[in-house]
Amino acid sequence: SPPIRRETLQELRLFGDEVEIFIWRADAAFTGRLLRELDPPEDRENDSNPLRPSDEDRVVRGDSVLAKCDHGFTHVVDRTGAEQVLPISVTTEQLQSRRVRLRVTHYYEKAEDTGVVRMAATRLVRLTPGGAHGD
């Protein structure tokens, strides 16, 4: 990963299957949150509760590899010039075929006064180079 510098850092996420730490710049200071998985994923499939967490696989933004970095990281760029460093090893072909995926979990809350259910938070879970389940 490139060096983390206070002057340039906008967002930082450390995540895995069960927890995410998210730190972001807010004006002149940093703030953050910690989200932890409480319910086993298999409990979600049979539950009719509208507040149960849901998983989604998203295509990772990027069209080509700029550089392979140390420790299995990959520096990628998309056609708009937006760059990011992924903490996995990927190829340009994987990016262009849209196989690199990010699994996220959405958490919901219900407004007591209206009963409206809305997404309250989204947690990053896992990056896969070959598709939704790493294939």
Side-chain angles (χ1 to χ4, degrees), residues 40-124:
E42 58 273 5
D43 288 351
R44 298 179 195 169
E45 295 174 13
N46 300 321
D47 190 356
S48 61
N49 178 358
L51 299 179
R52 73 183 179 284
S54 64
D55 296 321
E56 176 187 2
D57 290 316
R58 295 182 174 176
V59 175
V60 171
R61 184 176 184 174
D63 296 310
S64 62
V65 172
L66 283 178
K68 294 285 189 173
C69 306
D70 293 340
H71 309 292
F73 284 67
T74 310
H75 189 173
V76 304
V77 64
D78 73 7
R79 66 182 132 259
T80 70
E83 299 178 24
Q84 61 182 330
V85 177
L86 303 177
I88 59 174
S89 181
V90 299
T91 65
T92 293
E93 193 274 324
Q94 288 170 314
L95 291 165
Q96 290 177 351
S97 64
R98 305 294 180 238
R99 291 196 323 246
V100 183
R101 302 294 172 97
L102 174 64
R103 164 68 56 100
V104 300
T105 297
H106 303 293
Y107 298 95
Y108 301 90
E109 66 184 8
K110 180 178 178 181
E112 293 302 320
D113 55 338
T114 64
V116 172
V117 174
R118 72 171 193 88
M119 193 179 301
T122 297
R123 178 175 70 84
L124 305 187

